[in-house]
Amino acid sequence: MQVLPRDTAITTQDSGNVQELEVNESVPIHNENTVLPSQVLGKMIQKSKYHFIMDSCICRTSNNCQDYPQDLGCLFLGKGSKKISTKLGRAVTAKEAMEHIEKCSEVGLVPIIGRNKIDSVWLNTGPKEELLSICHCCQCCCLWKMTPNLPEDLGSSFSAMEGVRIIFNEDNCNGCGLCAEDTCFLDAITIIDGKAKRDEEKCRICGRCAEICPRNAVIIRMDEDAVKRSLNRVEPLVDVESE
């Protein structure tokens, strides 16, 4: 568990202006974040009665990101999202929420889903069990930026989805390095003897390497019950179906 200190400042954007909000509370961040593919996100979105999209990503905005869109913000599900200020974003339909995650995927952002107490605190949404955060992260500005350099107990707080595997087909690999250079958020892929090699300890199976490989040398495989298992893992954290 990581703890943000009292008087933590959260940087956000309101009507085009960047501002900092004082939390005034020590906020623990639990190891409840999972890297998930779009299939699982879609299931969660369809189950939820409430959806809220932020007008901007506070991480990319505060870092003035030049590589990824600043206007693709977090998606929130659950009853607590009804309490988020409309100055920060808007309530949307399930269809609009699905379109949003598709846009994020198209530009190379990686979804991380979890119950983050800090979000329920700074957004003033009530009990943390009523808000599910779905961040779409880039490697240059967001949570992933620090993950390779975190102590092992904190870095492991971002886990891969259960039942999902990456398969490297060395026969197809020509060692071009696209999957490694500025692509793998965790520096888990290196080119050795003209072939891509993956560090299984570092890898969170986000799928970026499979999406970018032009030779189908990297393949994502999901067990038949992988989506169900991931939903079962997330659902105890937040009740996205409650009225």
Side-chain angles (χ1 to χ4, degrees):
M1 179 177 69
Q2 182 183 10
V3 179
L4 292 183
R6 183 174 297 277
D7 298 325
T8 295
I10 302 294
T11 304
T12 184
Q13 187 178 46
D14 181 7
S15 302
N17 298 315
V18 176
Q19 60 179 338
E20 290 191 347
L21 306 177
E22 299 297 328
V23 175
N24 295 319
E25 180 177 341
S26 296
V27 181
I29 302 177
H30 296 276
N31 300 348
E32 296 170 345
N33 301 289
T34 305
V35 182
L36 296 181
S38 59
Q39 294 95 324
V40 178
L41 291 183
K43 292 282 187 180
M44 293 301 295
I45 288 171
Q46 295 301 327
K47 289 170 71 69
S48 180
K49 292 181 173 65
Y50 308 104
H51 317 82
F52 189 98
I53 296 176
M54 297 277 284
D55 286 338
S56 64
C57 170
I58 60 176
C59 296
R60 284 188 287 280
T61 298
S62 61
N63 284 284
N64 192 27
C65 184
Q66 301 298 307
D67 297 323
Y68 295 88
Q70 297 182 22
D71 61 349
L72 292 179
C74 291
L75 169 66
F76 296 100
L77 306 180
K79 183 179 177 181
S81 67
K82 294 171 57 181
K83 301 177 182 178
I84 302 176
S85 171
T86 55
K87 293 181 179 180
L88 299 175
R90 67 196 187 282
V92 298
T93 64
K95 181 176 182 293
E96 290 173 311
M98 288 295 295
E99 292 171 350
H100 179 73
I101 66 170
E102 288 172 3
K103 289 179 183 178
C104 292
S105 176
E106 288 172 358
V107 298
L109 300 175
V110 174
I112 300 179
I113 189 171
R115 182 187 70 193
N116 299 318
K117 183 178 179 182
I118 188 172
D119 285 337
S120 61
V121 171
W122 82 272
L123 292 171
N124 194 29
T125 60
K128 60 183 181 296
E129 292 78 13
E130 295 183 352
L131 188 71
L132 187 70
S133 304
I134 302 173
C135 298
H136 289 86
C137 298
C138 65
Q139 76 269 39
C140 47
C141 303
C142 303
L143 292 171
W144 288 91
K145 177 181 179 180
M146 66 183 77
T147 304
N149 302 314
L150 288 175
E152 183 177 352
D153 59 336
L154 293 183
S156 63
S157 66
F158 298 94
S159 60
M161 175 180 167
E162 296 179 5
V164 179
R165 293 166 289 128
I166 281 186
I167 298 174
F168 274 77
N169 186 337
E170 290 195 357
D171 291 338
N172 290 351
C173 179
N174 65 355
C176 69
L178 284 176
C179 61
E181 297 174 5
D182 298 324
T183 296
C184 181
F185 285 5
L186 298 175
D187 300 327
I189 301 177
T190 54
I191 305 300
I192 301 176
D193 296 329
K195 299 292 182 180
K197 302 293 182 181
R198 178 174 67 103
D199 186 326
E200 296 185 5
E201 293 296 321
K202 290 182 178 180
C203 180
R204 295 298 184 271
I205 314 182
C206 69
R208 281 171 56 85
C209 54
E211 292 175 355
I212 202 172
C213 180
R215 300 176 61 88
N216 294 320
V218 190
I219 303 171
I220 300 293
R221 297 290 190 201
M222 294 178 61
D223 294 345
E224 290 185 3
D225 64 343
V227 172
K228 181 179 179 181
R229 286 162 61 185
S230 252
L231 290 173
N232 289 340
R233 177 178 178 180
V234 172
E235 286 176 332
L237 302 180
V238 179
D239 179 8
V240 298
E241 298 180 272
S242 64
E243 294 287 353

PDB file of all heavy atoms in Angstrom, residues 3 47 119 141 215:
ATOM      1  N   VAL A   3       0.976   5.497   0.477  1.00  0.00           N
ATOM      2  CA  VAL A   3       0.204   6.533   1.149  1.00  0.00           C
ATOM      3  C   VAL A   3       0.608   7.897   0.641  1.00  0.00           C
ATOM      4  O   VAL A   3       1.798   8.248   0.659  1.00  0.00           O
ATOM      5  CB  VAL A   3       0.415   6.490   2.683  1.00  0.00           C
ATOM      6  CG1 VAL A   3      -0.377   7.597   3.338  1.00  0.00           C
ATOM      7  CG2 VAL A   3      -0.011   5.147   3.235  1.00  0.00           C
ATOM      8  N   LYS A  47     -22.545  -3.252 -17.529  1.00  0.00           N
ATOM      9  CA  LYS A  47     -23.179  -3.580 -16.254  1.00  0.00           C
ATOM     10  C   LYS A  47     -23.493  -2.335 -15.421  1.00  0.00           C
ATOM     11  O   LYS A  47     -24.414  -2.335 -14.610  1.00  0.00           O
ATOM     12  CB  LYS A  47     -22.271  -4.516 -15.439  1.00  0.00           C
ATOM     13  CG  LYS A  47     -22.181  -5.936 -15.990  1.00  0.00           C
ATOM     14  CD  LYS A  47     -21.106  -6.728 -15.304  1.00  0.00           C
ATOM     15  CE  LYS A  47     -21.499  -7.064 -13.880  1.00  0.00           C
ATOM     16  NZ  LYS A  47     -22.614  -8.027 -13.819  1.00  0.00           N
ATOM     17  N   ASP A 119      -9.228   8.956  -5.562  1.00  0.00           N
ATOM     18  CA  ASP A 119     -10.221   9.523  -6.473  1.00  0.00           C
ATOM     19  C   ASP A 119     -11.511   9.858  -5.739  1.00  0.00           C
ATOM     20  O   ASP A 119     -12.108  10.918  -5.955  1.00  0.00           O
ATOM     21  CB  ASP A 119     -10.524   8.541  -7.613  1.00  0.00           C
ATOM     22  CG  ASP A 119      -9.407   8.482  -8.635  1.00  0.00           C
ATOM     23  OD1 ASP A 119      -8.646   9.460  -8.713  1.00  0.00           O
ATOM     24  OD2 ASP A 119      -9.299   7.470  -9.346  1.00  0.00           O
ATOM     25  N   CYS A 141       3.682  10.273 -18.900  1.00  0.00           N
ATOM     26  CA  CYS A 141       3.126  11.219 -17.928  1.00  0.00           C
ATOM     27  C   CYS A 141       2.365  10.564 -16.776  1.00  0.00           C
ATOM     28  O   CYS A 141       2.185  11.181 -15.729  1.00  0.00           O
ATOM     29  CB  CYS A 141       2.159  12.179 -18.627  1.00  0.00           C
ATOM     30  SG  CYS A 141       2.879  13.090 -19.995  1.00  0.00           S
ATOM     31  N   ARG A 215       4.540  -8.103 -37.784  1.00  0.00           N
ATOM     32  CA  ARG A 215       4.773  -9.454 -38.301  1.00  0.00           C
ATOM     33  C   ARG A 215       4.047 -10.539 -37.506  1.00  0.00           C
ATOM     34  O   ARG A 215       4.310 -11.728 -37.688  1.00  0.00           O
ATOM     35  CB  ARG A 215       6.285  -9.736 -38.305  1.00  0.00           C
ATOM     36  CG  ARG A 215       7.092  -8.772 -39.167  1.00  0.00           C
ATOM     37  CD  ARG A 215       8.575  -9.033 -39.046  1.00  0.00           C
ATOM     38  NE  ARG A 215       8.952 -10.363 -39.478  1.00  0.00           N
ATOM     39  CZ  ARG A 215       9.254 -10.694 -40.736  1.00  0.00           C
ATOM     40  NH1 ARG A 215       9.215  -9.753 -41.685  1.00  0.00           N
ATOM     41  NH2 ARG A 215       9.598 -11.918 -41.054  1.00  0.00           N
TER      42      ARG A 215
END
